[in-house]
Structures are given as C-alpha cells and as structure tokens.
Amino acid sequence: MNGKKILVTGGTGYIGSHTVVELQQAGYEVVIVDNLSNSEADVVDRITEITGNSPKFYKIDLTDSDALREVFVKEKDIFSAIHFAAFKAVGESVEKPLMYYRNNLNSLINLLDLSGEFKVKNVVFSSSCTVYGQPEKLPVTEQTPVIRPESPYGNTKRISEEVIQEFTIAHSGFNGIALRYFNPIGAHPSALIGELPRGVPNNLVPFVTQTAAGLRDQLKIFGDDYNTPDGTCIRDYINVVDLAKAHVAAISRQVNGKMRNSFEVFNLGTGQGASVLDIVKGFEKATGKKLNYTMAERRLGDVEQIYANASYAEKELNWKAEKTLEETLKSAWEWEKKLRNIE
Ligand code: NAD
Ligand code: WQD
C-alpha cells in the first residue's frame, strides 16, 4: 500500500468510477466528490463490491466552493486531485453554453483555488481530443495544433487546460497533467460499472448496445460518403479500463516527481482508427448479435477522422492500451445485458 490520498471529482461517473477501482487496486486511498448530476449513488457500492474497499464519498457540487472547502478541511493530505467532474454533452452545450461554462469552469476554478490554499500540489485533468478539431495531419501528436473547438463543451476543455497551465506558472511546485482522451468505450469486466447515459444516447457505442438490447429500433450511421475507406467516420476507441489505468500512471508520475514540465499533456488513445462500420461489424462478431442499422445523413459538427499517436504516453507514462476492440465491445454488451436483465 502506498496510501497516498487522491481526490476524485466526478468519481461516480463513467470514467471516474473505473479510475477509482484502478486507484484502489494500486493501493491509493480515494475520496470521491460528485453531485450525482449524471451518475447514481449506488456506484460507490459497486466499486466496493469490485475492490472490497469502500471509497469515501461526498455528495457535493463543485461550483459550491464553501461545500468543497469542507472536504479539504476534513480530508487532510490530499496528494493529487483527478478532475473528471464536468458536463459533457456536445449538443446540449451548443444550446446552453452558459450552463457549460458555469459548471465546467467554475468547478475547476474552485478546485484549483482550494488546492492552492490547502497545499495540494497536483492535478490531473480530463481533457479531450475535441481540442484538435479536424487535424490536417494524422495521427495526432501532442504537438498537433489546438484549435478553437466547435462546441462550447469543447471550448471549456481548451480553456481549462490553459487555466491549469497558467495556475502552474503562478504557483511554483504545482503540477498539472492534462489527459486528452480519444473515444472511451466499454465497461468493467465485472459488468458492475459502465456507462449510464440518460435518455437517448448521443454516443455510438451506447446506441449500439441499446439497439441490440431492443431499447432502440435502429442505429443510424451518420454519413457514408466521407473520404475514408468505407465512407464512414473514423475514431480512436479506447477501452475505459485501459483509460483508467493511464490515470494511475499519471499519478505515479506525480508521486515519482518525473515531470518534464509543471504542465504536461498526453494523448490517450490506442493509435488505431476504427470506422463506424468497423464498430458495427466488430460488435456483431464479438457478441453474435445482428444489429439493425441504416445509413443516414451526416451529423452536424462531426469530424471525418481522428486517431492518436499514442507513443508519448507509452514513453513517458509507461502506459499503453492493451484491450482489443472486440473484447471492449463485448464488455459494453455484457454491461448493457446486466442493466436490462437480459440473459
Ligand atoms: P460522466 O458524466 O459519466 O461523469 C462526470 C461526473 O461528474 C458525473 O458523475 C457527474 O455527476 C459529475 N459532475 C458534473 N458536474 C459536477 C459538479 N459541478 N459537481 C460535482 N460533480 C459533478 O462523464 P465521463 O464520461 O465519465 O467523463 C468524465 C470526464 O472526461 C469529463 O470531464 C468529460 O468531459 C471528459 N471526457 C469524456 C469523454 C467521453 O467520451 N466520455 C471524452 C473526453 C473527455
Ligand atoms: C462516434 C462516431 C458519429 C452515434 C464525442 C465528443 C467528443 C468526445 C467523445 C468528450 C461518429 C457516429 C454516433 C450514432 C453514428 N467527448 N455515430 N450514429 O462524436 O467522436 O465524440 O464523444 O470529450 O468531444 O464529440 O463520439 O460516439 O458521438 O460518435 O453514426 O447514433 O459514431 O457520427 O462518427 P464523437 P460519438
């Protein structure tokens, strides 16, 4: 046991919950802060069932700095904060930009403010490949230019990275790591935790699993006339457990003090692009289920293709994605089946 205490904001959410499991299994003590705006309290019990170890949980809104201060007062010696808590629906952010700027930016500002006051020296931030837009050159390295993202959601990620970087400059000894996730998919092999979209899913894999489970009639593939081998969009789909492990690697880097700079950025992907049709075929192969799908119009705002060059994370974090796409799609289906009580 290394015993260091890690604050995990958004720790009952999709990526947060998987990361809490990996942190606990690596011997860290975890304190979760989440307001349950997009997750359920019983995730804490499910994490405990997987690890045999109950994380501390505070139901608190990070935009409430007084409530967050109480956590810092009670939880002495936090080593690092992994900051997942944010709103993440791209389309909703276009309709309600202020809601996104208010929640995502105020949460971060409160967290950094209190980290400074309570001498917490490290943060790991959930960023996104959305900050690259449609890059001219693929695969995407950390040197690929960041552009102004199309959505307010994406823009909160770009601005947050800058805020953290500027905070590290102003506070000597403070370390920030931004992890730019590509497309996280799949669920824990226990099928006790996974993605829980509310309402109709916007993202591809939850829509696929819900269609296979009979909750949706048909998957619409948004565009088959892109300039890609099969005409459908290409993404870099990363297994959520692999992704969670990258957070443990980032914390280890902070523990070991091996940072090259006070602010660092890593791409987290597999390095492999997969098309929408690859996902559909891969799902059918992995699960033996036939999927009802049809080709449809392009979705506004979609980039044609993006995938990571993941070699910097491999070199510096000693981390790489290990699970296969089929294994990952199978895990998503196992989770959906358990949710819906399907045999
Ligand atoms: P999620 O919605 O499942 O988890 C986020 C959690 O944060 C939820 O449990 C929610 O209740 C909580 N939360 C939101 N606002 C809060 C607030 N003000 N106070 C306290 N808790 C709050 O999302 P996720 O998919 O696990 O994403 C985690 C992070 O990763 C987010 O920052 C997201 O933007 C980023 N990210 C996600 C993806 C993706 O495709 N899932 C890709 C790139 C980046
Ligand atoms: C993947 C592909 C769709 C649904 C979003 C955010 C991004 C990041 C990850 C947070 C695309 C196609 C989808 C459907 C489809 N999140 N699709 N039918 O758009 O790559 O990224 O999540 O940072 O910022 O924008 O992910 O899962 O929505 O779509 O054909 O019903 O599947 O067109 O090509 P996306 P996605």
Side-chain angles (χ1 to χ4, degrees):
M1 288 288 278
N2 63 55
K4 285 206 188 314
K5 191 185 282 186
I6 313 296
L7 181 70
V8 181
T9 78
T12 48
Y14 173 42
I15 308 168
S17 57
H18 289 81
T19 301
V20 171
V21 166
E22 296 303 319
L23 285 168
Q24 287 188 326
Q25 289 177 340
Y28 291 98
E29 182 185 342
V30 178
V31 175
I32 296 175
V33 171
D34 201 300
N35 64 357
L36 303 179
S37 57
N38 198 35
S39 54
E40 304 293 332
D42 76 347
V43 170
V44 178
D45 304 328
R46 288 155 176 263
I47 291 170
T48 309
E49 199 177 329
I50 296 169
T51 64
N53 192 350
S54 188
K56 252 199 203 160
F57 172 61
Y58 293 90
K59 181 174 181 289
I60 276 172
D61 192 319
L62 285 163
T63 62
D64 179 348
S65 69
D66 290 340
L68 187 58
R69 172 183 297 275
E70 291 289 304
V71 178
F72 278 81
V73 168
K74 281 197 197 129
E75 300 295 338
K76 309 244 177 300
D77 304 322
I78 294 169
F79 174 75
S80 183
I82 309 185
H83 184 45
F84 293 102
F87 293 154
K88 63 165 181 177
V90 175
E92 184 184 55
S93 81
V94 176
E95 280 157 31
K96 300 174 182 166
L98 295 187
M99 182 173 131
Y100 273 68
Y101 286 113
R102 189 175 293 122
N103 191 56
N104 295 4
L105 298 182
N106 287 353
S107 294
L108 174 67
I109 289 166
N110 288 339
L111 180 68
L112 292 178
D113 220 358
L114 289 161
S115 295
E117 187 181 330
F118 286 84
K119 313 271 181 287
V120 176
K121 293 287 184 197
N122 301 285
V123 72
V124 176
F125 175 68
S126 298
S127 190
S128 167
C129 68
T130 190
V131 299
Y132 297 118
Q134 175 61 71
E136 279 174 20
K137 262 176 60 187
L138 289 168
V140 171
T141 72
E142 288 77 1
Q143 278 69 51
T144 297
V146 165
I147 59 154
R148 193 182 183 291
E150 288 224 359
S151 70
Y153 161 73
N155 208 30
T156 69
K157 294 296 170 194
R158 183 186 66 88
I159 295 169
S160 294
E161 285 193 11
E162 289 178 356
V163 169
I164 296 168
Q165 181 166 26
E166 287 161 2
F167 186 82
T168 65
I169 292 167
H171 293 77
S172 114
F174 188 85
N175 172 257
I177 294 181
L179 301 176
R180 292 179 181 156
Y181 315 151
F182 280 65
N183 287 53
I185 61 165
H188 195 266
S190 63
L192 285 166
I193 52 174
E195 191 168 7
L196 258 185
R198 295 199 164 148
V200 182
N202 296 309
N203 296 115
L204 177 62
V205 171
F207 205 101
V208 164
T209 56
Q210 290 197 5
T211 305
L215 275 83
R216 313 280 155 214
D217 288 342
Q218 191 177 48
L219 169 74
K220 287 191 169 59
I221 295 186
F222 297 141
D224 62 354
D225 56 352
Y226 285 100
N227 186 21
T228 60
D230 66 22
T232 66
C233 291
I234 290 176
R235 299 288 183 272
D236 185 336
Y237 294 93
I238 166 97
N239 181 288
V240 69
V241 176
D242 279 341
L243 187 63
K245 287 183 176 157
H247 294 76
V248 179
I251 295 288
S252 301
R253 187 172 178 86
Q254 293 176 329
V255 170
N256 299 331
K258 289 229 174 99
M259 290 78 62
R260 289 182 183 271
N261 279 303
S262 59
F263 178 71
E264 297 179 309
V265 173
F266 295 96
N267 285 341
L268 298 180
T270 64
Q272 303 291 321
S275 72
V276 180
L277 271 173
D278 288 337
I279 295 293
V280 169
K281 299 291 167 207
F283 180 83
E284 290 184 335
K285 188 158 176 233
T287 64
K289 297 274 302 176
K290 271 271 164 235
L291 207 64
N292 183 16
Y293 67 90
T294 185
M295 296 301 175
E297 289 296 298
R298 290 184 177 195
R299 181 172 70 178
L300 206 69
D302 269 343
V303 301
E304 179 175 278
Q305 46 182 320
I306 185 164
Y307 49 95
N309 174 330
S311 60
Y312 189 60
E314 182 169 359
K315 178 164 165 269
E316 294 291 326
L317 294 178
N318 200 18
W319 169 90
K320 70 176 186 341
E322 280 170 353
K323 309 240 189 217
T324 65
L325 187 57
E326 273 189 34
E327 184 180 2
T328 303
L329 291 168
K330 180 99 178 19
S331 74
W333 178 233
E334 293 304 320
W335 162 245
E336 188 74 54
K337 280 202 298 187
K338 196 144 179 178
L339 269 183
R340 314 292 168 200
N341 291 317
I342 297 171
E343 283 305 309

